[in-house]
Every structure is written in structure tokens, then in C-alpha cells.
Amino acid sequence: MANRVNLQGNQACALGAIAAGCTFYGGYPITPSSEVAEAMARELPKVGGTFIQMEDEIASMGAVVGASMGGVKAMTATSGPGFSLKQENLGYACGAEIPCVIVNVMRGGPSTGMPTRPAQGDVMQARWGTHGDHPIIVLTPASVSECYTETIRAFDLTEQLRVPVIVLIDEVIGHLVETVDLDDLTPQTTVSRKFADTPVEGFEPYAVTEDMIPPFPRPGDGYRSHTTGLTHMPNGFPTQNPAKAEAALTRTTDKLVLHKDLIEFCQLIECAGADLVIVAIGISARAAEQAVRDLRGQGVNVGLFRPLTLWPFPETTLKAAVQGAKAVLVPEMNQGQMVLEVERLMAGDLPVHALNKIDGEAITPSEIAAKVKEVL
Amino acid sequence: MKDLEPETPFEINDYIRLEQMPHFLCPGCGHGIALRALLWAVHELQIDKDKLAVVSGIGCSGRLSAYIDANTFHTTHGRPLAFATGLALARPDLHVIVITGDGDSLAIGGNHLIHACRRNLNLTCMMLNNEIYGMTGGQVSPTTSSNRYTTTTPAGNTEPVFDACALASAAGASFVGREVTMQVTGLKNLMRGAIEHHGFSFVEVISDCTEIYGRKNDLGMSPEMMLSQKATMRPEAYRNTVDVPFRPNALECGVLTQKDRPEYGSAYREMTANLRAKGKQHG
Amino acid sequence: MDDFEVRFSGSGGQGLILSAKFLSAALVAEGFSVAQSQSYEPVSRGGLSRSDLVVSKGQAAFPLSRGLDYLLILDGAAAQASNDLLGKDSLVMVDSELVPEPPKGAFRVLNLPFAETARKLGNKRVANIVALSALVACSGICKLETLEQIVRGKTPPKFATLNLEAFEAGCALGVQGA
């Protein structure tokens, strides 16, 4: 109870970034994420950091990757069409393994859609928005305190693994104000990328190390290395040699498999012995949590599986969580995206039901409860 | 940068990655000359290679960064100025130079160019103008001359061209210049002035694409193309002389714009330092 | 009461979100956790606007309104918009002038002259503060002293006197209603 304040989800993302050591923000205004930029414009000067509002969404992502190439922790935030525009330079960061954090506050789509209304229609875009096979991590806070803690975790992961991390929230969570105690939530230490410190002679910026995470050559430290979006060899220069190209691509995606335990994070509520497990993120998970409480009160055995790491999807944990269940329900504010991944994992062993809502309103606990009763 | 002239003469091999040779430029391409002029200027200014960052986009010009022995970043199409803006703001200790092309900076990256000019962040932008998309096989660009044939203007180009220097100057660039590859020393001196300038500097290099553009338009081999470029240019020394009416359409070269404007990075850092000082005063 | 829900509804520019913020801060000072959500149309001024508080001890599972204990309506356009969330124990407070047709049902409805009171104080824009203190005085959801401290602490100096006058006038209206 040391420092209880009412804080908005978007602002919590900004304060989380500052707590994680972010010193660069490149942004562009777009509803409903603009409060992240506004908070960073206020907070970054206080810590000697740099805020810049760029000329467009593409440039803001470029500036973020550029700043990170300079060795600093960097972030941007966006929504809807802005997230589409950021995909090109986000893909560059995936390919060249440049750490960065992107907060995407989901609004109704497609196109301009419903700018002030919530949706969860970017579940698949967050995973596959940029072209080509690529590694990416997506986190899904469902409360203001998680906006803070998951943004910190996003920085820790992106810095440690050299993989872009998306903090995926919906408009409800982004604009929600909740009572939080930041003192309780702030970690003692944060993670920075591993900078190269070996002799310059023979240094390879994308060398295959045991942990598959190449040390980052900071400009000015003498390595004078080359960074490119072209498929590259361990020495950083482009290649079209089939074996070398495949090895390079495979390492960046295998890296996430190797560090699965570090990346995956989920919350299980009453899953043990549940007849039905609900899988939900964001505001839909908050509704599901309430539905679980209400249904348990009525003697219905139901649990909630909440993947805070949405991508890579916590496969093993979900499979364990549904042991003994008769069905799975996936409520989401889209026409059925996360449900596809759950269906894939259930592989026909369990019936997977969907509850979809695309009218710009959040799914309610009673809608989930009604659906649970219908399918059980 | 140091005040003294370097004691050793310029030797290009000191500034390029020899292991990346042979380079991939076509015979007769003017881009290599531009690269040499740039590195010569870097040498004369005694810039520490460890502190030199070169950011390039996509296209033939974009590939040059890989040959420079410095911190080099080959970024996305049209976006090198956006990447460079982040890099220069995050690392004001680095000399950031952008290499771009006419398609890269005037078409897909046009928005970034005008805002970089307006913002006046301390960056040097060298645009290699060869009037064509060479890497993709010879399509029309915003600087392709009238009636010229390209793969996407099979009956001749009917679009008007951009004057890149006028654009940069109008958008607020505080240093703007143009030179042809024929004038290597002039180009070196221009690049030197651009790098020394505190603010956003923009240099258009009139380069030649002999293999694709020259051949398709029957412009001759590289020497013919370079000579014709030189002939149509109005050198700085002759800018206001009586022969203006005889070369009314000629582009001017040399330093075209030079003005003192607040540099963005310094202004931002000063503002934030003041904010922090005030914050400390108020406890 | 450990858990309750409050809605401020009306049109954009009436200061409803500010009222909700003041009440949130007062409730937090009294040890509650608050989830405050907004709904508005994509215009800067005008359009339907509402701000909801879901109040609980500890973080609420679902942070959005499910059933309103208290509903404040300051614009006729918002009069019927929340009917689905009202029950027999709900208390509805409407502006007697701006909401000519308040919702009808098994719940209690109070018609109070928020706007008129604000006008008499010299500025119709403080109707939001009048309504806020009336709500708190009538319902007792938090101590009036706590709310007064918040209003004092968060009001810019040039509006301090006006806001405190509005606060007092609202209290008087609310006490009558209670």
C-alpha cells in the first residue's frame, strides 16, 4: 500500500518501459494508443532519453530500430492501420535481430474500422504481420498492473534474445484506469543485451553461439560490422548460398525454441479438474475470470487458461491444463483467430468451441457463462 | 574531426572492406566514383572509422554501405533516413552518413526526406541520382528525364522530374549541393562541406547508369554519359555569368544552399537538460 | 459495501471523466481498488460520453460494469442508454432540467438541479462537481471530507473557489436527496 495510484493501461506501458531502461521512443499519433507516446514525451526527458514524433508510422518504426542499432533500449506504440504500416521495418528487426518493443493497442478493423472501440483482431497479424518466416514474441497483458510488468518483461526478453517483442493489448485494457502500486511491481534488476567484448579480429556479428544469441556489436566499440535485412552469413554479409541461407534463418527461429522456458508465461485459474477450460487473453480473459467465479459458485467445474505469452503459444502448458477436461472454449473479440491455434493443438482430441464478438463491445462474463452452459 | 590535414595521402583501400571485393557495380557505373569521393572526404576530415556510421536504403546505392569499413547498416527501401534519425539521436557521438538513390529518397522515401530536411538533425545524406531503378531492371524513377525509355515507360517518359536540390532546400535543408561524378575533386570537397556542416546536409550526385539506362536510351558508354552530364551542368563558378541564356535548363552544381538553423539533436538535448535542471531545483 | 459500480453519463465536454477521476482518487484514498473505464465517440467535443467505476476491495476480476449501483445522467441523450444495467437497488440521479425523461423502473430516481445550481454559482461548467458531491452526499460511498481534499488538491488555483462552492452546493442537494 506504499504507492497506490490510479493509472491508465497505456500510461502503464510507458512507465514500464521507463522502469525497464528504455531511453528512446519514436512514435506517431493514433487512437487508441496515443497516450503511450504522450507519456513517453513527458517521461523520457526526465531520464535523459529521447522522444521523437516521426513523420509517419513507417518512420517511427525505422527510428526505433535505428536507435536500437545504436545500442539503446527503444520502443514504439501503435494501433490498427499503424500496426500494418510498421510491419516492414518490424520485419527488418526480426531478420537483423535488433531488439525493440512495439505496443499494439487493438481497435476495431479492418482499415480505419472503429478507432475508439476495442477488438482483438490482430492476434494473427501480431504473429504473421510481416512477410516471410520470422521469429517474434507477443505478450498479452490483461490489466493495468500487467501493462506495466509485461512491458518490463518485453524489454527483458527483446534485449536478452534479440527478438522484437509486441505488447498486444486491446482498447479496453489500454484505456482502462486501475488502482496499482508501482513500488510493488518494479523489479530490482532489468536485463540489457549482451554486448560484444571479444577481440575485434575475427569477430562475427552473427556467429553461432551455444545460446544462439549473437553478442551485439555496439557502434563505436571497434567492430565496424555490417547489418542488413538481406539473408546474411555469420559475418553479417548477404548470402544466397542455400545451405548458409537455411542455417541463418533456422537459427533465428530455433533460438525461440531453445529459450522456450524463458519466454513462455501463462496463468491457470481453476484448471485442475475442470470439465471445461476457457482460453482467453486481454479483456476477454478478465470476463472469463469473472465467469469462472460465477460458474464455480453455481457448481459448474470450469477453469481459465490465460497465455500471457501468446506467441510462441505455450503449447505444452495448454495440453497439460486441459487434461481431464471435456471441452475447450475460446472467447475472443474477432471472428476466430486464437481458436485456430487451440484447435491445432487439441488436434481433434477435445471439442473446441468459439465465442466471437466483433461489434466493438467487450465480451461479458454472462455471455461466456451462457456459452459454457450451452456446450457442457 | 580534427583541424589538421591528414599526414598520409588518401588511399581508398584503407576505407573499404577488401574482403567484399569484387564489388557488384556494373562496368561504367558512376556510384563507385561517388563512393571514392565520399571516403576521400572522410579521410581528409580524419573521421575515426569506429565512429562512422553509414546507413543505406535499397537499390544499387544501398549496396555501397557493405563496402565501407565502418559501422554500416543496409536498411529497408526508402527508410534509411528514418533509421539514421533514430541512430543519430540515440548516438550523437557518431558521424551518421546516409547513402540513398533517386528512387529510394524521392519516391518511396520522399516523406522521410522532406521531414529530415525540416528537422535539421545532424546527418549527411548523399543521394546518387542515376535517373533509374537499376537494381530492379530499369524502371522509371522520379528523376528520369523526359521522353527517356525505361521498362515501365516503353513509349518514353511523360512524367515531369523532381529537382531534388530545390526540394531539399525548400523543405529546409540547411546545406544543399550537387555535383557530377566527372568532377571527383569537386565532389570530394562538396561531401567534405556537407559532413562538416552542423545540421542536415543533402548532396545530389549526378551518377550514370550505363548498362541499363544508357544502353536503353542510346546515351553512349560511361565517358559519353559523364561528359554530357558535365556539359549540362552549370558549375558554381559560372552560376551568374552571361551564358545563362545559352544553358537555360542546366542544373546548377556546387553548394546551392547553406544557412544557419538550429540543429535538432542539440536543441532537443538542451531542452531536456533544462527540464532536468528545473526538476532538480524543484526537488 | 465492498463492491459497487458507478456510472457518470452525459455528453462530451461536461467534465464527467474529471468527476469520475476525483471520485476514483477519493475511493483509493479510502483503501478501495477502482477500475475506471471510458466510452466516448471519436469527436473531441460533444457526442455521448460516459465513465464507469467498478469499485472493489482488491482488483476486480472484470473491470467493466455489469450492474450499476449508482447512475448519474447529465444529458437527455444519455437518459435511456444504461437501462439494461439498472436493477431494483440502483440509485439514478438525473439533472432535472437537462434530462426531461429520466429512465423509469423499480429503482429510485432523483431529479436534482445540477445545471441550474452551477449556473447560479456563475459557471454552468461546474455542474459535474455539483453532481459528484450530491452523489457522494446522498449515497455515502466515501467520506465527504476525503472527496473535498481530492477536489482541493486537484483543482488549479484559479478555479479553486468556484469548485469548492460547487462542492458545497452539491453536498446540500445530495443531503436533501438522502
Side-chain angles (χ1 to χ4, degrees):
Chain A
M1 303 272 282
N3 184 21
R4 293 174 83 241
V5 290
N6 288 328
L7 187 66
Q8 187 202 49
N10 281 344
Q11 290 168 349
C13 288
L15 295 183
I18 298 287
C22 172
T23 56
F24 186 90
Y25 186 98
Y28 189 80
I30 188 162
T31 304
S33 72
S34 298
E35 294 86 356
V36 183
E38 290 167 350
M40 291 304 267
R42 281 193 303 272
E43 297 299 324
L44 274 172
K46 296 181 192 168
V47 295
T50 305
F51 169 89
I52 186 167
Q53 181 172 316
M54 293 296 286
E55 55 272 16
D56 58 34
E57 296 276 5
I58 298 168
S60 82
M61 191 67 222
V64 163
V65 179
S68 183
M69 294 190 314
V72 311
K73 295 184 182 182
M75 179 174 94
T76 188
T78 190
S79 297
F83 191 50
S84 297
L85 285 165
K86 286 194 155 53
Q87 296 298 336
E88 176 201 30
N89 289 337
L90 173 58
Y92 182 91
C94 294
E97 297 178 82
I98 311 296
C100 55
V101 172
I102 301 97
V103 176
N104 176 25
V105 188
M106 290 183 283
R107 67 190 222 184
S111 190
T112 313
M114 289 187 277
T116 65
R117 306 305 310 172
Q120 295 177 321
D122 303 350
V123 163
M124 284 299 175
Q125 190 189 17
R127 177 62 194 91
W128 294 115
T130 198
H131 59 276
D133 292 307
H134 60 275
I136 202 148
I137 295 173
V138 181
L139 311 182
T140 61
S143 66
V144 173
S145 60
E146 282 183 359
C147 284
Y148 184 77
T149 54
E150 288 298 280
T151 303
I152 296 173
R153 192 164 75 92
F155 270 99
D156 288 353
L157 289 173
T158 198
E159 286 286 322
Q160 187 166 354
L161 298 168
R162 293 186 64 180
V163 175
V165 178
I166 292 165
V167 177
L168 186 66
I169 56 179
D170 48 71
E171 185 273 343
V172 176
I173 301 300
H175 278 162
L176 184 67
V177 173
E178 287 189 293
T179 311
V180 294
D181 186 339
L182 295 186
D183 288 351
D184 280 0
L185 299 172
T186 306
Q188 296 297 312
T189 54
T190 57
V191 181
S192 290
R193 74 192 74 168
K194 183 173 61 184
F195 285 103
D197 58 2
T198 50
V200 168
E201 199 62 40
F203 174 78
E204 293 204 311
Y206 294 94
V208 183
T209 53
E210 202 171 311
D211 64 0
M212 293 198 197
I213 308 159
F216 187 91
R218 183 174 13 216
D221 286 359
Y223 294 100
R224 300 202 299 272
S225 54
H226 186 58
T227 305
T228 178
L230 289 166
T231 301
H232 44 270
M233 298 175 285
N235 67 7
F237 292 97
T239 182
Q240 293 199 42
N241 172 302
K244 288 177 179 168
E246 186 178 2
L249 291 171
T250 309
R251 180 182 59 75
T252 61
T253 46
D254 279 359
K255 181 168 72 175
L256 296 199
V257 178
L258 181 69
H259 295 282
K260 181 167 142 300
D261 292 344
L262 180 74
I263 300 165
E264 288 190 1
F265 182 38
C266 25
Q267 187 191 16
L268 281 71
I269 297 174
E270 310 250 22
C271 284
D275 292 326
L276 180 143
V277 171
I278 304 168
V279 182
I281 57 167
I283 186 61
S284 303
R286 298 288 291 271
E289 189 184 341
Q290 183 65 51
V292 167
R293 285 187 195 181
D294 295 348
L295 288 164
R296 285 269 170 183
Q298 298 161 27
V300 182
N301 281 338
V302 55
L304 169 64
F305 178 87
R306 193 159 75 81
L308 276 97
T309 302
L310 173 64
W311 303 113
F313 199 90
E315 304 189 6
T316 323
T317 326
L318 176 66
K319 283 179 182 167
V322 300
Q323 286 297 318
K326 296 192 199 79
V328 177
L329 171 64
V330 184
E332 49 185 336
M333 292 156 65
N334 54 46
Q335 289 186 311
Q337 297 190 17
M338 188 168 63
V339 71
L340 300 174
E341 179 69 1
V342 175
E343 278 171 351
R344 182 182 75 81
L345 294 171
M346 295 302 108
D349 292 343
L350 276 184
V352 177
H353 303 276
L355 174 60
N356 305 111
K357 197 167 176 180
I358 52 163
D359 62 357
E361 298 280 343
I363 295 176
T364 65
S366 52
E367 286 168 341
I368 293 176
K371 185 74 183 180
V372 168
K373 286 176 179 168
E374 178 195 316
V375 303
L376 261 188
Chain B
M1 278 178 266
K2 295 156 198 160
D3 292 333
L4 297 169
E5 291 292 317
E7 287 171 7
T8 53
F10 172 58
E11 172 51 62
I12 189 150
N13 287 357
D14 293 343
Y15 292 89
I16 59 172
R17 292 171 171 146
L18 288 172
E19 71 279 11
Q20 292 303 309
M21 296 296 123
H23 60 74
F24 91 126
L25 299 171
C26 304
C29 171
H31 286 15
I33 302 172
L35 177 62
R36 181 186 180 86
L38 167 67
L39 296 177
W40 191 0
V42 165
H43 173 77
E44 288 197 353
L45 294 167
Q46 300 187 64
I47 293 171
D48 179 357
K49 289 188 287 184
D50 287 344
K51 293 286 188 185
L52 176 64
V54 180
V55 184
S56 63
I58 295 293
C60 299
S61 65
R63 291 297 190 102
L64 295 186
S65 62
Y67 304 133
I68 303 174
D69 184 16
N71 306 282
T72 55
F73 304 95
H74 177 218
T75 68
T76 51
H77 193 21
R79 323 296 175 209
L81 281 168
F83 282 75
T85 297
L87 180 61
L89 282 170
R91 293 291 305 274
D93 58 315
L94 301 175
H95 294 274
V96 183
I97 295 173
V98 171
I99 302 177
T100 180
D102 43 307
D104 202 49
S105 67
L106 297 176
I108 190 167
N111 199 27
H112 311 310
L113 175 63
I114 59 172
H115 288 277
C117 293
R118 171 182 67 83
R119 209 173 274 126
N120 202 33
L121 179 63
N122 193 26
L123 288 173
T124 303
C125 177
M126 181 172 81
M127 186 195 85
L128 306 182
N129 178 7
N130 60 3
E131 300 193 28
I132 196 82
Y133 283 82
M135 181 76 83
T136 44
Q139 296 80 15
V140 69
S141 100
T143 58
T144 305
S145 297
S146 289
N147 302 318
R148 290 276 163 81
Y149 299 107
T150 73
T151 58
T152 48
T153 54
N157 181 25
T158 49
E159 281 200 30
V161 302
F162 250 143
D163 178 339
C165 289
L167 176 72
S169 191
S174 50
F175 183 105
V176 178
R178 180 188 288 123
E179 195 48 271
V180 293
T181 51
M182 188 87 179
Q183 306 283 15
V184 184
T185 317
L187 179 56
K188 177 263 292 179
N189 288 336
L190 184 61
M191 285 314 303
R192 190 177 156 153
I195 297 169
E196 279 185 306
H197 178 75
H198 189 59
F200 184 76
S201 50
F202 178 82
V203 172
E204 177 183 13
V205 183
I206 305 295
S207 186
D208 68 291
C209 171
T210 312
E211 272 300 305
I212 295 174
Y213 189 59
R215 208 149 59 161
K216 188 147 188 130
N217 289 284
D218 209 12
L219 300 175
M221 300 297 282
S222 185
E224 285 86 4
M225 286 184 78
M226 288 169 73
L227 280 168
S228 113
Q229 286 166 351
K230 179 171 176 271
T232 58
M233 284 295 145
R234 176 176 301 284
E236 198 170 14
Y238 300 108
R239 184 161 301 157
N240 296 310
T241 54
V242 287
D243 70 336
V244 168
F246 302 103
R247 290 201 284 187
N249 300 316
L251 291 167
E252 292 176 348
C253 53
V255 179
L256 306 178
T257 299
Q258 190 161 15
K259 54 195 170 194
D260 274 334
R261 285 181 56 212
E263 192 273 322
Y264 178 78
S266 313
Y268 185 85
R269 287 186 290 277
E270 190 184 325
M271 179 270 288
T272 60
N274 286 341
L275 277 178
R276 287 201 298 286
K278 268 190 206 162
K280 275 182 193 143
Q281 276 170 21
H282 298 300
Chain C
M1 204 163 36
D2 280 351
D3 303 304
F4 56 93
E5 297 180 5
V6 186
R7 171 170 289 181
F8 298 81
S9 65
S11 54
Q14 286 185 319
L16 296 164
I17 290 173
L18 185 68
S19 297
K21 277 185 182 166
F22 283 172
L23 181 56
S24 288
L27 290 164
V28 169
E30 297 200 347
F32 286 102
S33 287
V34 179
Q36 185 191 341
S37 56
Q38 264 86 244
S39 169
Y40 58 95
E41 289 169 22
V43 291
S44 284
R45 292 289 178 268
L48 280 186
S49 163
R50 69 169 194 247
S51 185
D52 290 3
L53 303 188
V54 173
V55 187
S56 53
K57 292 284 184 186
Q59 183 178 288
F62 188 57
L64 305 180
S65 294
R66 309 174 72 199
L68 298 172
D69 297 281
Y70 305 98
L71 170 63
L72 201 60
I73 309 175
L74 291 190
D75 191 306
Q80 313 302 328
S82 307
N83 289 358
D84 291 349
L85 294 173
L86 294 173
K88 63 179 173 51
D89 296 324
S90 305
L91 171 63
V92 181
M93 298 173 79
V94 305
D95 186 275
S96 44
E97 179 182 306
L98 300 173
V99 188
E101 288 179 43
K104 293 190 182 73
F107 40 81
R108 186 172 172 222
V109 180
L110 282 176
N111 289 275
L112 295 170
F114 306 126
E116 187 190 338
T117 307
R119 236 181 4 253
K120 283 179 183 162
L121 289 171
N123 191 335
K124 64 176 183 169
R125 297 190 66 161
V126 292
N128 63 334
I129 303 294
V130 176
L132 170 64
S133 57
L135 167 71
V136 170
C138 180
S139 64
I141 49 180
C142 78
K143 292 196 195 85
L144 281 169
E145 305 87 83
T146 315
L147 182 63
E148 187 183 341
Q149 271 180 12
I150 298 291
V151 174
R152 271 181 200 279
K154 291 186 185 273
T155 302
K158 64 174 183 172
F159 296 114
T161 315
L162 181 63
N163 262 1
L164 286 172
E165 283 172 7
F167 178 85
E168 294 298 337
C171 288
L173 284 181
V175 169
Q176 283 170 27

